[in-house]
Amino acid sequence: MTAVHPEPPRPRRSTAFWALLLGAALLFAAFLALGAWQLQRLAWKEDLIARLDKRLAAEPERAPGADRWDAITKAGDEYRKVVLNGTFDHSRETLVGASTELGTGYWVLTPLRTVRGDWVLVNRGFVPPEFKTRASRTASETQGEDRVVGLLRLSEPGGSLLRKNDPAQERWYSRDVEAIAQARRIVEGPVAPYFVDAAAADDRTRWPRGGLTVVRFNNHHLQYALTWFAMAAMTAGIGVWLWRVERRRALGLDAAAD
């Protein structure tokens, strides 16, 4: 009598295989999403650079008055060329820590009373530590009404990334318009929510030195996008490899059963 052996059950794919395949699928989707996001950032950055190039090439326009302050935005107004007419109050200048192509030192922020009656903080430029005191550079202080051309910049509240402004100790690490105005007790009129980086003066031997604003934006979004898409392709390849290995294993077991 011939014994009948039951056919062995078809092997099932392991839980580990499905977990690995699911993980690969989730990573694939995440890498694709990150790549698409970087492409969106690329388009935004290129548009930003184009708008800034246009602003920097334009003729200076009258700085926004109090009636337009509420409408000022970073995207729409920062680095716009502006012109101001008014009188500096050098007695209320503020030194803000700075690091420039000329070395480390200070920005000299001086309030300017405009012909309209409001106030605008003007970053007159950079001074090295040896010209920190106002007495060392009074020869460069203009008297009476002056004309200032420069770039509109938005306030930098709080301080730097590592150090906070300390008005009581006269330690300033960012150009915080509101805090500086309060510390200097500028109450004779409204203070603009922005400051102006003054352009370079004709006389480059005097301090402070203007025209040191750095307008440069890193644009590596295309490289980032390609990296994420490459990671997605690698993950897809791993998923296909896992599927083939598991399929060969299952077919091998089936063949052995025959």
Side-chain angles (χ1 to χ4, degrees), residues 56-89:
L56 294 173
E59 291 297 317
E61 59 188 60
R62 187 181 181 188
D67 58 331
R68 294 174 51 199
W69 289 350
D70 290 340
I72 292 175
T73 64
K74 187 179 184 67
D77 297 283
E78 185 137 52
Y79 298 109
R80 189 180 299 281
K81 277 187 178 180
V82 295
V83 59
L84 289 162
N85 289 286
T87 304
F88 283 112
D89 185 347

Side-chain angles (χ1 to χ4, degrees), residues 93-234:
E93 73 175 24
T94 301
L95 300 180
V96 180
S99 179
T100 73
E101 62 185 37
L102 299 180
T104 58
Y106 305 91
W107 297 122
V108 179
L109 267 71
T110 307
L112 179 129
R113 183 75 179 267
T114 73
V115 293
R116 298 179 300 231
D118 53 32
W119 291 83
V120 177
L121 284 182
V122 176
N123 175 16
R124 295 172 54 224
F126 170 83
V127 292
E130 58 267 31
F131 287 98
K132 177 180 179 180
T133 63
R134 182 185 167 204
S136 65
R137 45 183 166 77
T138 53
S140 66
E141 295 181 355
T142 58
Q143 303 300 321
E145 186 171 319
D146 197 3
R147 183 175 186 268
V148 177
V149 176
L151 299 178
L152 186 150
R153 304 290 307 280
L154 296 188
S155 179
E156 303 166 344
S160 67
L161 181 63
L162 300 177
R163 294 177 290 186
K164 298 298 182 182
N165 292 329
D166 187 352
Q169 298 297 321
E170 283 299 321
R171 294 172 182 168
W172 300 94
Y173 304 105
S174 74
R175 292 161 290 192
D176 186 334
V177 171
E178 183 177 358
I180 292 174
Q182 290 178 355
R184 295 295 171 263
R185 294 180 172 85
I186 303 175
V187 297
E188 300 89 341
V191 181
Y194 59 85
F195 62 95
V196 173
D197 277 346
D202 294 334
D203 186 351
R204 302 293 290 175
T205 65
R206 290 189 174 186
W207 302 100
R209 301 273 178 84
L212 296 179
T213 308
V214 176
V215 186
R216 181 172 58 244
F217 295 91
N218 293 325
N219 187 11
H220 303 303
H221 297 295
L222 180 58
Q223 295 94 311
Y224 296 155
L226 293 176
T227 299
W228 289 124
F229 289 141
M231 295 290 288
M234 291 173 60

Side-chain angles (χ1 to χ4, degrees), residues 3-60:
V4 178
H5 299 285
E7 182 177 343
R10 185 178 296 275
R12 296 182 178 178
R13 291 184 170 88
S14 66
T15 302
F17 164 75
W18 287 114
L20 288 172
L21 199 63
L22 177 61
L26 291 175
L27 283 175
F28 175 76
F31 291 147
L32 280 183
L34 287 169
W37 175 66
Q38 286 295 337
L39 289 180
Q40 293 176 351
R41 294 281 295 171
L42 173 64
W44 168 81
K45 183 62 69 66
E46 289 180 339
D47 177 66
L48 172 63
I49 292 173
R51 284 188 282 115
L52 288 179
D53 287 343
K54 184 177 180 180
R55 289 175 196 170
L56 294 173
E59 291 297 317

